[in-house]
Amino acid sequence: MSYSYQIGSLEQYHEAYRKSVEDPEGFWAEIARTFTWKKPWDKVLEWNFKEPNVKWFIGGQLNITENCLDRHLESKADQPAIIWESNDPNEHHRVLTYRRLHFKVCQFAWVLKNNGVKKGDRVCIYMGMVPELAIAVLACARIGAIHSVIFGGFSAQSIADRLQDAKAEYIITCDGAYRGNKTIPLKPVIDDALVTCPFVKTVIVHTRTRTPVSMIKGRDLWWEDEINRVETQGNPDFPAETMDAEDPLFILYTSGSTGKPKGVVHSSAGYMIYTNYSFVNVFQNKPGDVHFCTADIGWITGHSYIVYGPLSAGATSLMFEGIPTFPDAGRFWAIVDKYKVNILYTAPTAIRSLMVFGTDFVTPYKLDSLRVLGTVGEPINEEAWHWYDEQIGKKRCPIVDTWWQTETGGILISNLAGVTPAIPAHATLPLPGVQPVLVDENGKEVKGNGVSGNLCIKFPWPSIIRTTYGDHERCRTTYFATYENMYFTGDGALRDEKGNYRITGRVDDVLNVSGHRIGTAEVENAINMHYGVVESAVVGYPHEIKGQGIYAYVIYSGKREDEELIRKDISATVSRIIGPIAKPDKIQFVTGLPKTRSGKIMRRILRKIAEGELQNLGDTTTLLDPAVVEEIKTGKQ
Ligand code: WT7
């Protein structure tokens, strides 16, 4: 397939951008026409950011899996759709051609149907990075069930919260997962979660690690047995459910500055079209390319750029089960050479963690198949950018710095590989269809170039968040109420003299740890659950590898004879409540927290102390008790 809408030059970019602003409906309709629809749309767009209410391709009907699978069977049936590399380099890799993947997805859709899953049902998926994860996701989409993938590192409590919020009655999981030299239990974590989720009817368990699990009669089923049952039924094809353009495709939970994680809901048609369009244009995929996105499908990056973007574009997507440092820090590069990867998409934190091992782990590899490099998840520092450029790209591969969010569904601001200029540490220009604005604290748009402000988007793009599951008001207040008629991203940004954007990071109480979003309030709640903790305050501080580390100030009531042990206990509590990714890197015991007279914690001061900027705390006179600051400064970790 060649893509009629693939932008090939800077001129074409400007032309496409101009058209997308002047005539957004015409612009997106032309692209949408190249997809497979069961019924064409009546109207391209209806929207307001007040409620908010955004609808794309109204009246249109389709199934995303017909676009990701069936439509490629004519010309690409034997082309690899998914190449899978095991955690263990000695285990044989797997290749799923488009024909094979179509077959497997249909088979598993039958399994879902046999077990009573219907259109609109929520199915929670908690698996490691095995091909069956992608198969499960696509089978849900085929039957019209709403998938909600939960990253394998989340705790039983986090899973239970999500299951309850989504009212999910079906779960697909694995016995366990391999990550580096560890075997991570998955089914036992689900079992713990289900203690508080009696409404779950069925758990389908795929065998990966062959670790012992308890299978509950009447509830738990083996994936393999269910597939055998389908084989004896002899139903090869599974007719794809007819979905309205705006029917929800999936829910993905993400953290914000307050409360529990929210379920970001994405639509069927708009999400498909935008992930496809951004995939094709940002990475400049060419026929035969191998695209390697190192994310986990448990995050939005994996949804959009391992599964839906590449497959809807008929590309080859490489899926890796393991971690960058196993068996050694050369693993990514070994994979690049083994499969002749053309496009590599990873996170700054991964680059930084590999940089520290030095080039000894890079030089044994040729890396000459690489043509495009990408980064995502957090601002990339210049040192990491140059290392990536020089050591991996050998200065001949454009780096795309892609800025986007779970809520945006796809990449909104990025250079297009080799087409629009790359600038170190800058996401650069908006994609066609994306209209960013910077606003000041008063909500006034900051016009012109060479300015900074809070980043908002003033016009809908097809894959914008539609709602937060079960609580539309929360969607409105979180994203659409801060500034009138704008989607607020939560990020700050600079716009340089030429109109290029540089994202400076979150302006709210959300941390970005190793490219993962973590709410400070969530971590505080988890810490506060620990016996003996009276109160806590969590802030981020610069961390060499993770980008941001988690710094917790804790008021502890009990005796602190063994502080190290208490720190470990608190970390274990956070791990138990949220998951290991939210464990504090530093815990400082304090006797008070800096609060305003109205009782608000002054995080600005705590942030400065955590950053080590003790001289520069700003005005502390409005504090209820300025003396606590002195104490905290002395006890800094
Ligand atoms: C937040 C979204 C969607 C990708 C994975 C993270 C930060 C993301 C960049 C970038 C600077 C970035 C922002 C954003 N972010 N990409 N290229 N440059 N910052 O998804 O968990 O929804 O987090 O990640 O702060 O708001 P997420």
Side-chain angles (χ1 to χ4, degrees):
M1 190 183 345
S2 67
Y3 318 100
S4 55
Y5 43 84
Q6 190 170 49
I7 295 166
S9 66
L10 189 57
E11 252 165 47
Q12 279 176 23
Y13 163 76
H14 286 301
E15 171 59 22
Y17 191 81
R18 191 185 50 74
K19 182 165 184 218
S20 78
V21 174
E22 284 173 5
D23 177 18
E25 298 194 27
F27 176 80
W28 288 111
E30 197 177 312
I31 294 158
R33 256 179 237 123
T34 66
F35 288 78
T36 301
W37 294 81
K38 287 175 185 281
K39 175 180 169 286
W41 59 90
D42 306 314
K43 192 170 177 210
V44 178
L45 174 65
E46 250 174 34
W47 71 285
N48 74 69
F49 278 173
K50 209 168 160 39
E51 295 175 54
N53 179 16
V54 180
K55 291 195 169 96
W56 282 92
F57 310 106
I58 300 143
Q61 292 182 327
L62 79 167
N63 186 290
I64 195 169
T65 69
E66 288 190 332
N67 286 278
C68 289
L69 302 170
D70 305 56
R71 72 164 168 159
H72 307 311
L73 294 183
E74 203 173 306
S75 62
K76 303 192 161 173
D78 297 318
Q79 183 204 293
I82 293 178
I83 299 174
W84 175 78
E85 167 78 358
S86 163
N87 177 62
D88 174 358
N90 298 317
E91 182 181 342
H92 207 282
H93 67 279
R94 288 169 63 184
V95 176
L96 291 155
T97 61
Y98 272 96
R99 189 198 321 276
R100 188 84 187 136
L101 183 61
H102 174 268
F103 173 78
K104 292 253 177 200
V105 169
C106 285
Q107 256 193 340
F108 198 68
W110 281 113
V111 169
L112 295 175
K113 193 178 174 80
N114 282 342
N115 287 288
V117 178
K118 296 181 306 300
K119 176 177 176 176
D121 287 346
R122 277 80 52 221
V123 178
C124 158
I125 302 176
Y126 185 69
M127 301 171 83
M129 282 285 284
V130 286
E132 284 70 20
L133 166 54
I135 292 167
V137 161
L138 291 163
C140 286
R142 193 146 184 106
I143 198 168
I146 303 168
H147 57 75
S148 182
V149 184
I150 302 178
F151 173 63
F154 279 114
S155 68
Q157 179 65 53
S158 295
I159 296 167
D161 288 345
R162 287 158 171 77
L163 288 171
Q164 284 159 8
D165 187 79
K167 299 179 190 69
E169 295 176 332
Y170 304 93
I171 297 179
I172 307 166
T173 188
C174 296
D175 45 1
Y178 294 123
R179 274 179 73 77
N181 51 23
K182 291 198 198 126
T183 304
I184 316 265
L186 294 176
K187 174 64 164 59
V189 183
I190 291 289
D191 290 336
D192 286 348
L194 293 195
V195 171
T196 54
C197 300
F199 50 85
V200 171
K201 290 186 196 153
T202 304
V203 182
I204 301 175
V205 186
H206 177 258
T207 311
R208 174 63 183 133
T209 53
R210 300 196 169 274
T211 35
V213 291
S214 66
M215 294 292 282
I216 303 297
K217 203 184 294 164
R219 187 193 73 187
D220 299 349
L221 302 165
W222 289 111
W223 172 298
E224 296 75 14
D225 290 349
E226 293 303 297
I227 291 290
N228 287 340
R229 200 171 128 197
V230 171
E231 276 171 356
T232 52
Q233 287 166 345
N235 289 314
D237 199 1
F238 186 98
E241 181 69 39
T242 301
M243 305 298 284
D244 286 336
E246 281 297 320
D247 277 340
L249 174 65
F250 65 85
I251 307 171
L252 188 60
Y253 284 84
T254 189
S255 296
S257 46
T258 56
K260 294 212 162 150
K262 19 180 198 299
V264 172
V265 177
H266 280 291
S267 70
S268 296
Y271 175 81
M272 170 183 80
I273 287 159
Y274 195 81
T275 52
N276 177 291
Y277 181 80
S278 51
F279 170 76
V280 162
N281 282 300
V282 171
F283 302 105
Q284 291 287 309
N285 198 275
K286 305 268 181 293
D289 275 356
V290 175
H291 174 85
F292 178 20
C293 166
T294 69
D296 191 291
I297 293 177
W299 308 107
I300 191 70
T301 308
H303 281 59
S304 301
Y305 300 109
I306 296 177
V307 182
Y308 290 114
L311 298 182
S312 68
T316 296
S317 184
L318 176 70
M319 189 176 165
F320 173 42
E321 182 183 36
I323 56 170
T325 48
F326 179 81
D328 63 46
R331 189 64 191 279
F332 276 179
W333 325 128
I335 294 174
V336 167
D337 276 8
K338 182 170 174 188
Y339 299 102
K340 306 212 175 338
V341 168
N342 306 100
I343 303 166
L344 174 70
Y345 189 31
T346 193
T349 186
I351 298 167
R352 287 191 301 264
S353 74
L354 295 176
M355 273 168 73
V356 298
F357 290 92
T359 50
D360 286 0
F361 289 94
V362 183
T363 40
Y365 303 101
K366 295 223 283 277
L367 304 180
D368 55 351
S369 57
L370 287 173
R371 198 182 70 241
V372 174
L373 303 176
T375 87
V376 60
E378 54 174 315
I380 181 165
N381 49 311
E382 299 215 9
E383 199 192 347
W385 195 97
H386 287 294
W387 192 84
Y388 201 28
D389 181 39
E390 286 157 24
Q391 303 302 329
I392 308 307
K394 318 288 181 200
K395 293 194 116 298
R396 45 169 202 83
C397 303
I399 297 177
V400 288
D401 181 349
T402 65
W403 173 84
W404 58 298
Q405 312 177 295
T406 305
E407 295 85 345
T408 69
I411 298 164
L412 294 196
I413 304 182
S414 173
N415 49 314
L416 312 182
V419 171
T420 65
I423 308 171
H426 285 67
T428 74
L429 299 173
L431 265 68
V434 176
Q435 301 186 33
V437 284
L438 298 178
V439 291
D440 63 21
E441 311 83 76
N442 306 318
K444 244 187 91 182
E445 182 172 344
V446 193
K447 298 219 163 120
N449 287 338
V451 293
S452 66
N454 287 349
L455 180 62
C456 293
I457 318 283
K458 69 174 176 192
F459 194 86
W461 61 100
S463 62
I464 186 174
I465 177 177
R466 295 306 198 269
T467 189
T468 44
Y469 192 81
D471 191 353
H472 193 63
E473 179 59 9
R474 192 162 180 209
C475 174
R476 189 186 71 80
T477 52
T478 311
Y479 307 106
F480 298 92
T482 318
Y483 304 109
E484 204 178 327
N485 285 325
M486 289 186 205
Y487 166 81
F488 176 43
T489 64
D491 282 318
L494 311 171
R495 189 166 52 219
D496 74 8
E497 295 302 336
K498 290 188 170 153
N500 291 297
Y501 288 86
R502 175 177 194 149
I503 313 296
T504 46
R506 304 289 305 193
V507 295
D508 53 12
D509 289 328
V510 172
L511 307 180
N512 189 326
V513 180
S514 303
H516 299 148
R517 224 203 278 187
I518 298 173
T520 48
E522 251 182 284
V523 183
E524 287 165 6
N525 289 339
I527 293 174
N528 295 350
M529 286 177 77
H530 182 67
Y531 178 92
V533 171
V534 178
E535 196 180 1
S536 64
V538 165
V539 295
Y541 72 98
H543 186 287
E544 228 176 281
I545 308 275
K546 298 178 179 185
Q548 262 187 324
I550 302 179
Y551 196 115
Y553 298 90
V554 174
I555 305 178
Y556 194 83
S557 69
K559 269 221 203 92
R560 301 203 310 265
E561 269 160 17
D562 187 344
E563 293 207 345
E564 252 336 282
L565 184 61
I566 301 172
R567 284 198 180 92
K568 284 184 184 148
D569 288 346
I570 291 174
S571 284
T573 309
V574 175
S575 231
R576 187 56 82 191
I577 303 298
I578 306 176
I581 52 172
K583 276 203 272 195
D585 297 279
K586 292 185 180 178
I587 297 176
Q588 179 181 346
F589 294 108
V590 295
T591 56
L593 291 167
K595 287 190 180 168
T596 60
R597 293 202 172 84
S598 60
K600 224 179 134 221
I601 295 174
M602 288 192 70
R603 288 168 194 283
R604 175 178 56 83
I605 293 174
L606 293 176
R607 235 176 267 137
K608 291 267 185 202
I609 297 174
E611 283 165 11
E613 284 191 43
L614 303 183
Q615 318 311 326
N616 189 16
L617 296 184
D619 184 12
T620 56
T621 53
T622 57
L623 286 176
L624 191 60
D625 178 10
V628 298
V629 175
E630 289 311 310
E631 181 222 296
I632 295 175
K633 272 162 71 171
T634 335
K636 186 184 170 323
Q637 278 294 297

